[in-house]
Amino acid sequence: MMPALAAGDRLLVVKPGRLRPGDIVALEDPTEPGRLLVKRVAAVLPDGIEVLGDNEAYSRDSRRFGLVQPSGLVGTAVYRYYPSARVGSLRHQGASGGTLDRNEPAPRGHRPAAGTRADK
């Protein structure tokens, strides 16, 4: 799968609601405190959430640190606001994951926070 995000992308992250496989989430790195990761939800299980990166060979994800508890999530990525050539909504589209829709505006009432950074 091609990575949905690139280094330097700026994302609007909102409080997580009901998670589904394919959602893109931001979470605290369980192995490196203070580092923020952005991953795709692979499975929502009774014991936690399995998150995987789109670039399997280089991804720090549940294959390395196991399941993530919901309390470890910062939020769900819903919109890319920078760079301007890649602006658009990150919509959930089934198990294949979130995709970019450049024609869809930011969710109503949401403004991007300055300095938000995506870590692929």
Side-chain angles (χ1 to χ4, degrees):
M1 175 182 344
M2 290 291 296
L5 304 173
D9 283 358
R10 303 295 192 261
L11 307 174
L12 173 65
V13 176
V14 298
K15 183 177 177 179
R18 181 173 174 252
L19 296 174
R20 299 177 292 174
D23 287 346
I24 298 174
V25 294
L27 61 135
E28 296 286 337
D29 185 338
T31 62
E32 192 176 320
R35 181 175 183 189
L36 186 66
L37 302 175
V38 177
K39 302 294 171 190
R40 191 179 304 277
V41 173
V44 179
L45 306 167
D47 295 340
I49 302 160
E50 180 182 25
V51 295
L52 299 175
D54 289 349
N55 190 343
E56 183 178 341
Y58 298 101
S59 188
R60 181 186 305 216
D61 55 29
S62 287
R63 291 173 290 225
R64 181 171 178 180
F65 51 71
L67 298 177
V68 176
Q69 295 305 308
S71 61
L73 297 180
V74 173
T76 303
V78 295
Y79 189 78
R80 177 182 9 231
Y81 64 90
Y82 182 87
S84 58
R86 294 169 43 87
V87 165
S89 177
L90 297 167
R91 296 184 308 164
H92 178 86
Q93 291 193 344
S96 65
T99 60
L100 177 67
D101 182 352
R102 293 179 190 207
N103 298 318
E104 190 171 321
R108 188 177 180 144
H110 292 286
R111 292 187 194 167
T116 306
R117 187 176 148 235
D119 177 16
K120 60 179 184 172

